[in-house]
Amino acid sequence: MRAGPGVNAVIQARSSSTRLPGKVLRPLAGRSVLGWVVRAAAAAPGVAQVVVATSDDVSDDAVAAEAERCGAHVVRGPLDDVVARFGLALSQHPADAVIRLTADCPLLDPALIGRLVAVWRAEPSLDYVSTTLVRTLPRGFDAELVRASVLAEQVATATGADREHVTSAIYRQPDRYSCTGVVVSPAADDLRVTLDTAEDWELISALVAELGDAPGSWRSVVSLLRSRPDLVALNAHVEQKKVGQ
């Protein structure tokens, strides 16, 4: 008998990144970047299943194969319709809520993911819980939990850029959807540990060389970066692409 609502982690992944093609399959300390994300999701308290949602384009055959090798379930759908892929993940692997993760965040902290689950279990009427609603963490520790019925609604109704960004139509309408965020103090949102450029890769490689092959810990990453301004400088100039770009 299930102890509480079922929560699955769904990781969106593709090989056709515009700024750093193939980034999710890059080897990082003996495992792929995607492998790091799958491991973090699987280690998160309260996560029942891990699903990788990639495209049905031939360019993502290797992504699907790597996801299976890492022990994740795989669903494949339209390359440019990410929310449709999440809909497939939900229909093929039913859950009461889904945690959206992206495959370009190899340092994801399982404890943070588990914290989203705990917040939602305590108040399952919430539609959306995330680490980004009010950003206090470094970019790269992003995780969003969406109630299944709300995700299904986005699959049916989202248009334009919202079909790529999956959750943007939810947090943009706080009067319609019940949303809350997880925040930390002191804030560290000036830091960046997501993988989108060659400079990001240089920084993440340096962090892993210092911290070793272990699931991410946001506190350890922030502590190291605060003591190493030379590392922070590696990608400090990189600008995150905006929704719709």
Side-chain angles (χ1 to χ4, degrees), residues 191-205:
L191 303 174
R192 174 185 174 89
V193 293
T194 192
L195 177 58
D196 199 31
T197 68
E199 295 88 346
D200 294 333
W201 176 252
E202 189 176 358
L203 172 61
I204 288 171
S205 297

Side-chain angles (χ1 to χ4, degrees), residues 153-164:
E153 184 178 314
Q154 300 311 302
V155 174
T157 64
T159 60
D162 293 332
R163 296 206 70 82
E164 177 186 357

Side-chain angles (χ1 to χ4, degrees), residues 48 139 154 198 242:
R139 192 175 294 276
Q154 300 311 302
K242 303 290 191 298

Side-chain angles (χ1 to χ4, degrees), residues 10-14 16 51-56 60 75-92 151 155 163-164 166:
V10 179
I11 303 164
Q12 64 185 71
R14 66 174 190 170
S16 50
V51 183
V52 171
T54 191
S55 88
D56 51 18
D60 284 323
V75 298
R76 303 187 69 171
L79 178 63
D80 295 319
D81 190 348
V82 183
V83 76
R85 285 190 252 148
F86 274 76
L88 289 171
L90 185 59
S91 64
Q92 294 180 28
L151 177 58
V155 174
R163 296 206 70 82
E164 177 186 357
V166 183

